[in-house]
Amino acid sequence: MKSAEVMRVNLPLASPVQLGAQEISAREYIVLRLTLADGCEGFAYAYTRGLPLFEITVEAARRYVGGSADMRCGLQAAAMGQAPAPHAALARGVSLCDIALWGAWCRAVGKPLWKVLGGAREAAVAMPVIGYGMTPEKAASETADLAARGFTVIKLMIDGRDPEADIAVMEAMAGALPPGCGFGIDAHWSWTSKAQAMRTCRAAERLGARFVEDPVAPARWRVAGEIAGEVPVPLAMGEDVTDIATLRDIAGVSAILRIDASVMGGISGTRTAMALAQTFSRPVISHVFPALHLHFALAAEGDMTVETILPELGADPIDRFLLEQPRIENGMFHAGDTPGEGLRMDFDRLSDYAIQTERVTQ
Protein backbone atom coordinates (compact mmCIF):
# COMPACT_ATOMS: atom_id res chain seq x y z
CA MET A 1 0.00 0.00 0.00
CA LYS A 2 1.46 3.33 -1.08
CA SER A 3 -0.44 6.09 0.73
CA ALA A 4 -3.58 7.19 2.56
CA GLU A 5 -5.24 10.59 2.59
CA VAL A 6 -7.69 11.46 5.35
CA MET A 7 -9.93 14.55 5.37
CA ARG A 8 -12.46 15.90 7.80
CA VAL A 9 -14.95 17.92 5.76
CA ASN A 10 -17.92 20.07 6.69
CA LEU A 11 -20.59 20.26 3.99
CA PRO A 12 -23.35 22.85 4.37
CA LEU A 13 -26.90 21.81 3.55
CA ALA A 14 -28.77 23.90 0.99
CA SER A 15 -31.59 24.22 3.56
CA PRO A 16 -31.41 23.18 7.23
CA VAL A 17 -33.36 20.05 8.15
CA GLN A 18 -35.03 19.25 11.45
CA LEU A 19 -34.43 15.91 13.20
CA GLY A 20 -36.35 15.86 16.45
CA ALA A 21 -35.00 18.70 18.59
CA GLN A 22 -31.90 19.03 16.42
CA GLU A 23 -31.60 21.40 13.48
CA ILE A 24 -28.99 20.20 11.00
CA SER A 25 -27.42 22.91 8.85
CA ALA A 26 -24.30 20.98 7.81
CA ARG A 27 -22.96 17.43 7.74
CA GLU A 28 -19.47 16.53 8.90
CA TYR A 29 -17.69 13.53 7.40
CA ILE A 30 -14.38 11.74 7.48
CA VAL A 31 -13.26 10.81 3.96
CA LEU A 32 -10.45 8.36 3.20
CA ARG A 33 -8.57 7.56 0.01
CA LEU A 34 -6.11 4.64 -0.04
CA THR A 35 -3.70 4.17 -2.93
CA LEU A 36 -2.02 0.84 -3.67
CA ALA A 37 1.48 0.50 -5.10
CA ASP A 38 -0.02 -0.16 -8.55
CA GLY A 39 -1.99 3.12 -8.40
CA CYS A 40 -5.43 1.58 -7.74
CA GLU A 41 -7.49 3.66 -5.31
CA GLY A 42 -10.11 2.82 -2.71
CA PHE A 43 -12.48 5.19 -0.93
CA ALA A 44 -14.54 5.30 2.25
CA TYR A 45 -16.42 7.87 4.30
CA ALA A 46 -18.56 8.14 7.42
CA TYR A 47 -20.37 10.64 9.60
CA THR A 48 -18.17 11.88 12.46
CA ARG A 49 -21.11 11.70 14.94
CA GLY A 50 -19.22 14.06 17.26
CA LEU A 51 -16.34 11.58 17.63
CA PRO A 52 -12.62 12.29 17.07
CA LEU A 53 -12.90 10.11 13.98
CA PHE A 54 -10.24 12.03 12.05
CA GLU A 55 -7.54 11.10 14.56
CA ILE A 56 -8.84 7.54 14.84
CA THR A 57 -8.79 7.05 11.06
CA VAL A 58 -5.32 8.58 10.70
CA GLU A 59 -3.99 6.21 13.35
CA ALA A 60 -5.59 3.22 11.64
CA ALA A 61 -4.25 4.35 8.24
CA ARG A 62 -0.71 4.59 9.62
CA ARG A 63 -0.89 0.91 10.51
CA TYR A 64 -2.34 -0.05 7.12
CA VAL A 65 0.08 1.85 4.89
CA GLY A 66 3.31 -0.04 4.45
CA GLY A 67 2.23 -2.82 6.76
CA SER A 68 2.03 -6.50 5.92
CA ALA A 69 -1.19 -8.43 5.52
CA ASP A 70 -0.50 -10.01 8.92
CA MET A 71 -0.24 -6.56 10.51
CA ARG A 72 -3.52 -5.45 8.95
CA CYS A 73 -5.27 -8.63 10.07
CA GLY A 74 -3.87 -8.16 13.57
CA LEU A 75 -5.16 -4.59 13.71
CA GLN A 76 -8.56 -5.72 12.45
CA ALA A 77 -8.69 -8.45 15.09
CA ALA A 78 -7.75 -6.00 17.86
CA ALA A 79 -10.20 -3.34 16.72
CA MET A 80 -13.14 -5.73 16.32
CA GLY A 81 -12.23 -8.10 19.16
CA GLN A 82 -13.36 -8.51 22.76
CA ALA A 83 -10.88 -6.17 24.48
CA PRO A 84 -12.85 -2.96 25.20
CA ALA A 85 -10.06 -0.38 24.88
CA PRO A 86 -8.77 -1.07 21.35
CA HIS A 87 -12.27 -1.85 20.14
CA ALA A 88 -13.67 1.48 21.32
CA ALA A 89 -10.67 3.41 19.98
CA LEU A 90 -10.13 1.81 16.59
CA ALA A 91 -13.29 0.10 15.30
CA ARG A 92 -14.58 2.96 13.16
CA GLY A 93 -11.17 3.89 11.76
CA VAL A 94 -10.43 0.29 10.83
CA SER A 95 -13.89 0.07 9.23
CA LEU A 96 -13.03 2.88 6.83
CA CYS A 97 -9.58 1.45 6.03
CA ASP A 98 -11.10 -1.96 5.34
CA ILE A 99 -13.73 -0.50 2.98
CA ALA A 100 -11.14 1.48 1.04
CA LEU A 101 -8.73 -1.47 0.83
CA TRP A 102 -11.46 -3.74 -0.55
CA GLY A 103 -12.41 -1.02 -3.02
CA ALA A 104 -8.84 -0.61 -4.26
CA TRP A 105 -8.45 -4.37 -4.63
CA CYS A 106 -11.73 -4.60 -6.58
CA ARG A 107 -10.40 -1.96 -8.97
CA ALA A 108 -7.14 -3.87 -9.27
CA VAL A 109 -9.01 -7.02 -10.37
CA GLY A 110 -11.47 -5.06 -12.50
CA LYS A 111 -14.68 -6.08 -10.71
CA PRO A 112 -17.43 -4.30 -8.76
CA LEU A 113 -17.62 -5.30 -5.11
CA TRP A 114 -21.01 -7.01 -5.52
CA LYS A 115 -19.52 -9.49 -7.99
CA VAL A 116 -16.54 -10.15 -5.71
CA LEU A 117 -18.99 -10.84 -2.86
CA GLY A 118 -20.95 -13.36 -4.90
CA GLY A 119 -23.48 -11.39 -6.96
CA ALA A 120 -26.78 -13.15 -6.31
CA ARG A 121 -29.03 -10.63 -8.14
CA GLU A 122 -28.88 -7.43 -10.21
CA ALA A 123 -31.49 -5.26 -8.45
CA ALA A 124 -32.49 -4.47 -4.87
CA VAL A 125 -35.39 -2.62 -3.22
CA ALA A 126 -34.67 1.05 -2.51
CA MET A 127 -36.17 2.62 0.62
CA PRO A 128 -36.26 6.43 0.57
CA VAL A 129 -36.34 8.39 3.83
CA ILE A 130 -38.66 11.29 4.62
CA GLY A 131 -39.47 13.11 7.83
CA TYR A 132 -37.06 15.98 8.34
CA GLY A 133 -39.30 18.72 9.78
CA MET A 134 -42.44 16.83 8.78
CA THR A 135 -46.08 17.94 8.84
CA PRO A 136 -49.12 15.78 8.01
CA GLU A 137 -49.63 17.67 4.74
CA LYS A 138 -45.99 17.30 3.74
CA ALA A 139 -45.99 13.62 4.69
CA ALA A 140 -49.03 12.91 2.51
CA SER A 141 -47.61 14.82 -0.45
CA GLU A 142 -44.13 13.29 -0.33
CA THR A 143 -45.51 9.80 0.23
CA ALA A 144 -47.85 10.03 -2.75
CA ASP A 145 -45.01 11.32 -4.95
CA LEU A 146 -42.59 8.54 -3.94
CA ALA A 147 -45.24 5.85 -4.40
CA ALA A 148 -46.00 7.20 -7.88
CA ARG A 149 -42.28 6.85 -8.69
CA GLY A 150 -42.40 3.14 -7.90
CA PHE A 151 -41.05 2.97 -4.35
CA THR A 152 -42.78 0.23 -2.37
CA VAL A 153 -41.46 1.00 1.13
CA ILE A 154 -40.81 4.44 2.62
CA LYS A 155 -39.25 5.31 5.98
CA LEU A 156 -40.57 8.14 8.13
CA MET A 157 -38.30 9.86 10.66
CA ILE A 158 -40.56 10.70 13.58
CA ASP A 159 -39.85 13.33 16.22
CA GLY A 160 -40.13 10.88 19.12
CA ARG A 161 -40.92 13.49 21.77
CA ASP A 162 -44.52 14.32 20.82
CA PRO A 163 -46.72 11.25 20.25
CA GLU A 164 -49.71 13.28 19.06
CA ALA A 165 -47.71 15.05 16.36
CA ASP A 166 -45.98 11.82 15.31
CA ILE A 167 -49.25 9.91 15.07
CA ALA A 168 -50.85 12.68 12.99
CA VAL A 169 -47.95 12.49 10.52
CA MET A 170 -48.09 8.68 10.47
CA GLU A 171 -51.83 8.73 9.79
CA ALA A 172 -51.37 11.17 6.90
CA MET A 173 -48.62 9.01 5.46
CA ALA A 174 -50.60 5.78 5.78
CA GLY A 175 -53.61 7.44 4.13
CA ALA A 176 -51.52 8.46 1.12
CA LEU A 177 -50.09 4.99 0.48
CA PRO A 178 -51.54 3.01 -2.45
CA PRO A 179 -52.05 -0.77 -2.20
CA GLY A 180 -48.78 -2.68 -2.21
CA CYS A 181 -46.77 0.18 -0.70
CA GLY A 182 -45.78 0.24 2.97
CA PHE A 183 -43.98 2.39 5.51
CA GLY A 184 -41.81 2.10 8.59
CA ILE A 185 -40.91 4.61 11.29
CA ASP A 186 -37.54 5.56 12.79
CA ALA A 187 -37.66 6.70 16.42
CA HIS A 188 -33.84 7.30 16.48
CA TRP A 189 -33.43 6.09 20.10
CA SER A 190 -36.02 8.53 21.45
CA TRP A 191 -37.24 6.27 24.26
CA THR A 192 -35.65 4.57 27.25
CA SER A 193 -38.54 2.41 28.46
CA LYS A 194 -41.39 0.31 27.12
CA ALA A 195 -43.91 2.70 28.64
CA GLN A 196 -42.53 5.64 26.64
CA ALA A 197 -42.71 3.69 23.40
CA MET A 198 -46.15 2.13 23.71
CA ARG A 199 -48.44 4.88 22.42
CA THR A 200 -46.51 5.48 19.20
CA CYS A 201 -45.84 1.77 18.66
CA ARG A 202 -49.52 0.94 19.11
CA ALA A 203 -50.36 3.57 16.49
CA ALA A 204 -47.75 2.04 14.18
CA GLU A 205 -49.46 -1.33 14.67
CA ARG A 206 -52.91 0.12 13.97
CA LEU A 207 -51.69 1.81 10.78
CA GLY A 208 -49.93 -1.30 9.45
CA ALA A 209 -46.31 -0.12 9.75
CA ARG A 210 -43.77 -2.62 8.46
CA PHE A 211 -41.23 -1.81 11.19
CA VAL A 212 -40.31 0.44 14.09
CA GLU A 213 -36.64 1.33 13.91
CA ASP A 214 -34.42 2.10 16.89
CA PRO A 215 -37.07 2.54 19.60
CA VAL A 216 -34.20 2.45 22.12
CA ALA A 217 -30.41 2.56 21.98
CA PRO A 218 -28.66 -0.74 21.12
CA ALA A 219 -27.40 -1.18 24.68
CA ARG A 220 -31.04 -1.30 25.84
CA TRP A 221 -31.80 -4.36 23.76
CA ARG A 222 -33.57 -5.94 26.75
CA VAL A 223 -36.06 -3.04 26.70
CA ALA A 224 -36.44 -3.63 22.97
CA GLY A 225 -37.34 -7.21 23.81
CA GLU A 226 -40.08 -5.97 26.15
CA ILE A 227 -41.48 -3.76 23.38
CA ALA A 228 -41.35 -6.62 20.88
CA GLY A 229 -43.25 -8.77 23.35
CA GLU A 230 -46.12 -6.27 23.46
CA VAL A 231 -46.31 -4.97 19.87
CA PRO A 232 -46.27 -7.28 16.82
CA VAL A 233 -44.74 -4.66 14.51
CA PRO A 234 -41.16 -5.84 13.71
CA LEU A 235 -38.33 -3.88 15.29
CA ALA A 236 -35.32 -2.86 13.20
CA MET A 237 -32.04 -2.28 15.06
CA GLY A 238 -28.27 -2.47 14.72
CA GLU A 239 -27.01 0.44 12.61
CA ASP A 240 -24.54 1.76 15.20
CA VAL A 241 -23.42 -1.59 16.58
CA THR A 242 -19.66 -2.13 16.23
CA ASP A 243 -19.30 -5.68 17.55
CA ILE A 244 -20.83 -8.96 16.48
CA ALA A 245 -21.65 -10.05 20.06
CA THR A 246 -24.01 -7.10 20.58
CA LEU A 247 -25.51 -7.62 17.14
CA ARG A 248 -26.19 -11.22 18.11
CA ASP A 249 -28.04 -10.03 21.23
CA ILE A 250 -30.06 -7.60 19.11
CA ALA A 251 -30.90 -10.34 16.63
CA GLY A 252 -32.64 -12.14 19.46
CA VAL A 253 -35.17 -9.32 19.95
CA SER A 254 -35.20 -7.43 16.64
CA ALA A 255 -36.96 -9.01 13.67
CA ILE A 256 -34.94 -6.88 11.22
CA LEU A 257 -31.22 -6.11 11.43
CA ARG A 258 -29.66 -2.83 10.35
CA ILE A 259 -26.11 -2.80 9.00
CA ASP A 260 -23.58 -0.03 8.37
CA ALA A 261 -20.19 -1.03 7.01
CA SER A 262 -18.65 2.28 8.15
CA VAL A 263 -18.97 1.26 11.81
CA MET A 264 -19.02 -2.55 11.97
CA GLY A 265 -15.61 -3.49 10.61
CA GLY A 266 -15.88 -2.41 6.99
CA ILE A 267 -16.50 -4.96 4.26
CA SER A 268 -14.97 -7.77 6.31
CA GLY A 269 -17.07 -7.07 9.40
CA THR A 270 -20.25 -6.57 7.40
CA ARG A 271 -19.81 -9.94 5.73
CA THR A 272 -19.86 -11.44 9.25
CA ALA A 273 -22.94 -9.39 10.13
CA MET A 274 -24.72 -10.57 6.98
CA ALA A 275 -23.88 -14.18 7.85
CA LEU A 276 -25.36 -13.61 11.31
CA ALA A 277 -28.55 -12.24 9.75
CA GLN A 278 -28.77 -15.32 7.56
CA THR A 279 -28.25 -17.61 10.55
CA PHE A 280 -31.07 -15.90 12.47
CA SER A 281 -33.25 -15.66 9.33
CA ARG A 282 -33.38 -11.89 9.76
CA PRO A 283 -33.99 -9.55 6.81
CA VAL A 284 -31.58 -6.62 6.62
CA ILE A 285 -32.01 -2.89 6.00
CA SER A 286 -28.83 -0.92 5.37
CA HIS A 287 -28.07 2.41 7.01
CA VAL A 288 -27.65 5.17 4.38
CA PHE A 289 -24.55 5.16 2.09
CA PRO A 290 -26.47 3.29 -0.65
CA ALA A 291 -23.63 3.42 -3.18
CA LEU A 292 -21.69 1.08 -0.88
CA HIS A 293 -24.44 -0.96 0.76
CA LEU A 294 -26.11 -1.77 -2.55
CA HIS A 295 -23.23 -4.19 -3.18
CA PHE A 296 -24.22 -6.23 -0.13
CA ALA A 297 -27.87 -6.29 -1.17
CA LEU A 298 -26.93 -7.60 -4.61
CA ALA A 299 -24.82 -10.35 -3.04
CA ALA A 300 -27.10 -11.20 -0.08
CA GLU A 301 -28.52 -14.69 0.24
CA GLY A 302 -31.45 -13.33 2.26
CA ASP A 303 -33.72 -10.30 1.98
CA MET A 304 -32.02 -6.88 2.09
CA THR A 305 -33.46 -3.41 1.50
CA VAL A 306 -31.20 -0.44 0.67
CA GLU A 307 -31.95 2.78 2.50
CA THR A 308 -31.38 6.04 0.62
CA ILE A 309 -31.65 9.75 1.32
CA LEU A 310 -32.67 10.96 -2.11
CA PRO A 311 -30.63 13.88 -3.54
CA GLU A 312 -33.61 16.23 -3.67
CA LEU A 313 -33.88 16.02 0.12
CA GLY A 314 -30.41 17.56 0.43
CA ALA A 315 -29.73 15.91 3.81
CA ASP A 316 -26.65 13.90 2.74
CA PRO A 317 -24.63 16.36 0.63
CA ILE A 318 -21.55 14.19 0.16
CA ASP A 319 -23.44 12.39 -2.61
CA ARG A 320 -22.74 15.44 -4.82
CA PHE A 321 -19.07 14.47 -4.88
CA LEU A 322 -19.48 10.84 -5.91
CA LEU A 323 -18.25 10.22 -9.44
CA GLU A 324 -20.64 7.30 -9.94
CA GLN A 325 -24.24 7.28 -8.71
CA PRO A 326 -26.18 4.03 -8.28
CA ARG A 327 -29.11 3.84 -10.69
CA ILE A 328 -32.67 3.86 -9.32
CA GLU A 329 -35.52 2.85 -11.59
CA ASN A 330 -39.10 2.12 -10.56
CA GLY A 331 -38.20 1.94 -6.87
CA MET A 332 -35.25 -0.41 -7.35
CA PHE A 333 -31.49 0.05 -7.22
CA HIS A 334 -29.80 -1.62 -10.19
CA ALA A 335 -26.34 -3.14 -10.42
CA GLY A 336 -23.50 -1.45 -12.25
CA ASP A 337 -20.30 -2.93 -13.67
CA THR A 338 -17.84 -0.21 -12.62
CA PRO A 339 -15.00 -1.82 -10.61
CA GLY A 340 -14.73 -0.88 -6.94
CA GLU A 341 -16.84 -0.23 -3.86
CA GLY A 342 -19.00 2.51 -5.41
CA LEU A 343 -17.50 5.40 -3.43
CA ARG A 344 -15.02 6.93 -5.89
CA MET A 345 -15.28 10.67 -5.43
CA ASP A 346 -13.93 13.99 -6.58
CA PHE A 347 -11.31 14.32 -3.85
CA ASP A 348 -9.89 17.60 -5.13
CA ARG A 349 -13.27 19.37 -5.19
CA LEU A 350 -14.16 17.92 -1.79
CA SER A 351 -10.92 19.32 -0.33
CA ASP A 352 -12.37 22.83 -0.65
CA TYR A 353 -14.53 21.93 2.37
CA ALA A 354 -11.75 20.33 4.42
CA ILE A 355 -11.26 21.25 8.07
CA GLN A 356 -8.38 18.83 8.66
CA THR A 357 -6.22 16.82 6.27
CA GLU A 358 -3.38 14.36 6.67
CA ARG A 359 -1.44 12.23 4.22
CA VAL A 360 0.20 9.01 5.35
CA THR A 361 2.89 7.52 3.11
CA GLN A 362 4.91 4.33 3.16
Side-chain angles (χ1 to χ4, degrees):
M1 199 177 304
K2 181 181 177 182
S3 65
E5 298 159 271
V6 185
M7 288 197 299
R8 179 163 72 101
V9 299
N10 188 270
L11 300 180
L13 273 59
S15 300
V17 297
Q18 198 73 30
L19 181 58
Q22 182 184 15
E23 183 180 86
I24 303 172
S25 59
R27 290 277 201 187
E28 188 173 280
Y29 305 85
I30 296 302
V31 184
L32 170 68
R33 177 169 64 182
L34 287 181
T35 305
L36 301 183
D38 62 4
C40 290
E41 297 176 333
F43 298 83
Y45 62 85
Y47 300 132
T48 59
R49 300 289 201 198
L51 298 171
L53 188 52
F54 177 81
E55 291 80 5
I56 292 169
T57 306
V58 168
E59 181 60 31
R62 287 193 182 115
R63 304 190 195 190
Y64 266 68
V65 173
S68 66
D70 285 347
M71 289 176 61
R72 289 193 294 273
C73 289
L75 178 62
Q76 178 95 10
M80 306 310 297
Q82 297 299 316
H87 184 98
L90 288 172
R92 292 173 185 259
V94 164
S95 296
L96 296 184
C97 289
D98 187 81
I99 292 167
L101 184 57
W102 272 83
W105 181 74
C106 287
R107 290 187 177 89
V109 299
K111 294 182 178 181
L113 176 61
W114 67 273
K115 286 189 176 180
V116 170
L117 294 176
R121 57 188 58 84
E122 294 196 354
V125 174
M127 183 183 73
V129 179
I130 66 171
Y132 297 99
M134 193 56 57
T135 64
E137 296 75 19
K138 190 176 179 183
S141 173
E142 292 188 11
T143 297
D145 173 67
L146 290 169
R149 291 160 61 182
F151 294 103
T152 56
V153 58
I154 303 164
K155 188 178 90 170
L156 171 69
M157 306 285 289
I158 63 170
D159 183 287
R161 302 166 300 161
D162 185 345
E164 289 188 7
D166 287 337
I167 292 169
V169 171
M170 289 161 57
E171 288 174 338
M173 184 178 191
L177 288 169
C181 188
F183 78 100
I185 63 170
D186 183 355
H188 48 85
W189 319 295
S190 294
W191 308 309
T192 59
S193 69
K194 182 181 75 171
Q196 289 178 332
M198 276 301 99
R199 187 176 175 192
T200 304
C201 289
R202 289 294 188 199
E205 177 187 0
R206 171 173 59 85
L207 295 168
R210 294 189 182 179
F211 61 83
V212 174
E213 182 185 324
D214 288 333
V216 295
R220 297 180 183 270
W221 57 267
R222 291 180 179 84
V223 176
E226 294 174 5
I227 296 169
E230 291 282 339
V231 180
V233 180
L235 301 186
M237 299 178 64
E239 69 183 47
D240 272 313
V241 172
T242 60
D243 65 282
I244 200 69
T246 302
L247 191 65
R248 189 182 301 113
D249 289 335
I250 287 173
V253 300
S254 181
I256 300 169
L257 292 182
R258 297 269 284 157
I259 62 106
D260 184 339
S262 75
V263 305
M264 56 177 51
I267 308 302
S268 303
T270 304
R271 292 178 74 196
T272 304
M274 295 295 291
L276 177 70
Q278 185 71 9
T279 299
F280 278 80
S281 299
R282 296 291 189 255
V284 172
I285 301 175
S286 62
H287 175 233
V288 295
F289 312 142
L292 171 64
H293 290 135
L294 171 61
H295 292 271
F296 285 97
L298 297 175
E301 292 184 27
D303 178 30
M304 180 170 171
T305 299
V306 182
E307 179 178 86
T308 180
I309 300 175
L310 293 173
E312 61 261 32
L313 211 60
D316 207 7
I318 200 166
D319 288 349
R320 303 195 311 264
F321 298 88
L322 291 177
L323 296 177
E324 303 130 15
Q325 296 286 350
R327 180 169 64 92
I328 298 181
E329 187 176 303
N330 197 31
M332 302 287 288
F333 276 112
H334 292 268
D337 285 322
T338 303
E341 75 299 293
L343 301 181
R344 192 168 68 92
M345 61 184 66
D346 190 334
F347 220 75
D348 293 335
R349 187 162 64 93
L350 193 59
S351 66
D352 292 340
Y353 299 89
I355 301 170
Q356 290 176 282
T357 62
E358 185 150 347
R359 180 179 173 86
V360 180
T361 57
Q362 188 170 351

